[in-house]
Amino acid sequence: MVSRRALVFASATLSVMVALASCAREDYFWIAVSGFALLSLAFPALVRSDRAASSALVAWTMVPSVLQLALVAADMSVPWFSDGSIALNDVSLFTYVSSFGMALQGFISGFAVLVVANASGIITVSRSWMLVFAMMASLGVSTFCMFYEYGWMWLSGYPVTESDLASLPEGKFMNGLMMASPIVTVISTLFFVLAGRLLVLRRPREALWEEMP
């Protein structure tokens, strides 16, 4: 059986690798996403809790990182993944699938933080409410992503006033880029909550955390 410490190290390493790989693609917002994942891993130490998220939950934090690394690797060998050959609102397929990974990481990391906070007595909420708050954390990540894309376009010289977005030929792309993450997150988090209920409510509450050594 893999120890929890080894899982935490693996998850943290994957998060750093995702941030580096995404920076190589000039997709810098993943630094914030990976940073949130690292925060969720370090949260028990930050609040000096004697309880931490379970090994199973730590293992789940690795899934979005593995997905994003696989997407980056696939894009290196399959150019149409991000060159616009397959696009919605002039935004590449890669952007939408990557947004799904962001949404999943925000949800799982947010849930891990809530588990520790609940187990430590910082808050007292039911498992259903923890799933709802995890959804809100994921939506928060997508909101910051939307503002990041807006700022990136402004710094890149795109005209980003409302009239420009509505009238310019590239307005469809600019709107699509800003809304890709919120749209994907709103849809996907509904399924995350439903899946979470199936996985979480069938287990004892205490199965969500472990005592720190």
Side-chain angles (χ1 to χ4, degrees), residues 64-133:
S65 296
V66 172
L67 173 62
Q68 181 66 7
L69 289 173
L71 290 173
V72 172
D75 184 50
M76 294 173 65
S77 57
V78 186
W80 54 258
F81 213 37
S82 62
D83 66 4
S85 299
I86 300 178
L88 177 63
N89 290 330
D90 293 339
V91 177
S92 67
L93 176 63
F94 181 91
T95 299
Y96 287 100
V97 185
S98 180
S99 295
F100 176 83
M102 288 185 189
L104 184 59
Q105 187 64 273
F107 184 86
I108 296 173
S109 297
F111 187 73
V113 169
L114 289 161
V115 164
V116 175
N118 204 49
S120 305
I122 299 173
I123 60 173
T124 303
V125 294
S126 67
R127 286 170 290 176
S128 295
W129 274 107
M130 283 195 287
L131 290 169
V132 172
F133 288 136

Side-chain angles (χ1 to χ4, degrees), residues 145-162:
C145 183
M146 180 177 64
F147 284 111
Y148 166 82
E149 297 294 358
Y150 183 92
W152 173 82
M153 287 188 291
W154 180 74
L155 291 172
S156 299
Y158 285 93
V160 291
T161 64
E162 184 177 355

Side-chain angles (χ1 to χ4, degrees), residues 4 15 19 25 29 35 50 62 87 148 157 171 185 194-195 203:
R4 185 185 181 281
S15 292
R25 293 177 47 88
F29 188 74
D50 58 355
M62 291 187 273
Y148 166 82
T185 303
L194 293 176
R203 292 169 172 78

